[in-house]
Amino acid sequence: SPKRLKEMDDLVRSGALKKITSVLVARRGMLVHETYFEGDADTLRDTRSATKTIMGTLVGIGIDAGLLPGTDAKVLSFFAERQPVQNPDPRKDAITIEDLLTRSSVLECNDWNDLSRGNEERMYPVEDWIRFALDLPVRGFTRGDEPSKQPHGRSFSYCTAGVVTLSGVLQRAAGKGADEF
């Protein structure tokens, strides 16, 4: 609805919707709405968080297509040739696709903590990002933060390296990179 799209644009411009730099809407394969609130179509955008959502969608498509066995599949099983990994730990062996999708693996990886070994800023200068993730140690937990004390036995940690590893899992399963998939 053009009226609703205009209302949305007006909300962004008014500041009621925050941190939105552009909106593109496609319908039936056609671009039907395109608005830029900062710069124009050639302005670079920070899409890291959106990429995490897209990767989750691609993993779901991979499962639906039978390329991935499911969210309970062990991540390290997709990287047998990269074994052994640094900082071996049975809890690391148990990390599943679901753990990475929900950003609740036990890896010492937290982009919101500058001191975290797995902070994304430490990953960028490394050539092999998947090796970077696989070699991370298991993190310690503060009192009350232990997975056993969290809903569903998980403890959230915003970890870009985990999403990069999901991309590697998908590439192994589909035989092509996420961009082609």
Side-chain angles (χ1 to χ4, degrees), residues 4-60:
R4 287 187 172 232
L5 292 170
K6 182 184 178 323
E7 289 171 358
M8 175 190 59
D9 288 351
D10 290 345
L11 284 170
V12 174
R13 282 191 186 95
S14 75
L17 300 176
K18 309 229 182 285
K19 297 185 179 182
I20 297 175
T21 61
S22 59
V23 174
L24 286 82
V25 178
R27 184 167 187 223
R28 296 188 181 119
M30 301 291 295
L31 186 62
V32 296
H33 182 77
E34 182 174 11
T35 306
Y36 297 93
F37 304 99
E38 291 180 12
D40 58 23
D42 294 324
T43 302
L44 294 177
R45 313 265 172 211
D46 183 350
T47 60
R48 290 178 288 185
S49 292
T51 302
K52 290 171 178 62
T53 301
I54 292 166
M55 183 53 59
T57 302
L58 292 176
V59 167

Side-chain angles (χ1 to χ4, degrees), residues 109-176:
C109 182
N110 185 345
D111 295 344
W112 297 344
N113 177 349
D114 292 341
L115 301 177
S116 172
R117 292 263 307 266
N119 182 285
E120 67 182 322
E121 297 299 329
R122 296 178 191 272
M123 180 180 70
Y124 295 144
V126 175
E127 189 170 324
D128 185 342
W129 289 359
I130 293 172
R131 169 59 70 193
F132 172 87
L134 297 178
D135 286 345
L136 287 170
V138 169
R139 66 184 161 123
F141 295 94
T142 58
R143 188 169 302 189
D145 188 37
E146 304 99 327
S148 63
K149 294 186 179 176
Q150 298 300 314
H152 311 293
R154 300 181 176 286
S155 184
F156 180 83
S157 183
Y158 198 86
C159 176
T160 297
V163 178
V164 168
T165 305
L166 277 176
S167 179
V169 167
L170 183 62
Q171 182 170 3
R172 297 296 174 98
K176 56 179 106 175

Side-chain angles (χ1 to χ4, degrees), residues 37-112:
F37 304 99
E38 291 180 12
D40 58 23
D42 294 324
T43 302
L44 294 177
R45 313 265 172 211
D46 183 350
T47 60
R48 290 178 288 185
S49 292
T51 302
K52 290 171 178 62
T53 301
I54 292 166
M55 183 53 59
T57 302
L58 292 176
V59 167
I61 292 168
I63 291 169
D64 189 54
L67 299 171
L68 289 168
T71 58
D72 58 343
K74 304 287 189 265
V75 170
L76 286 178
S77 70
F78 290 89
F79 303 103
E81 82 289 350
R82 292 178 181 241
Q83 308 274 343
V85 296
Q86 290 181 17
N87 304 297
D89 188 298
R91 295 169 293 173
K92 196 185 225 183
D93 297 338
I95 294 171
T96 64
I97 289 174
E98 182 176 359
D99 293 329
L100 297 182
L101 283 171
T102 59
R103 286 175 271 311
S104 60
S105 82
V106 295
L107 294 177
E108 205 291 283
C109 182
N110 185 345
D111 295 344
W112 297 344

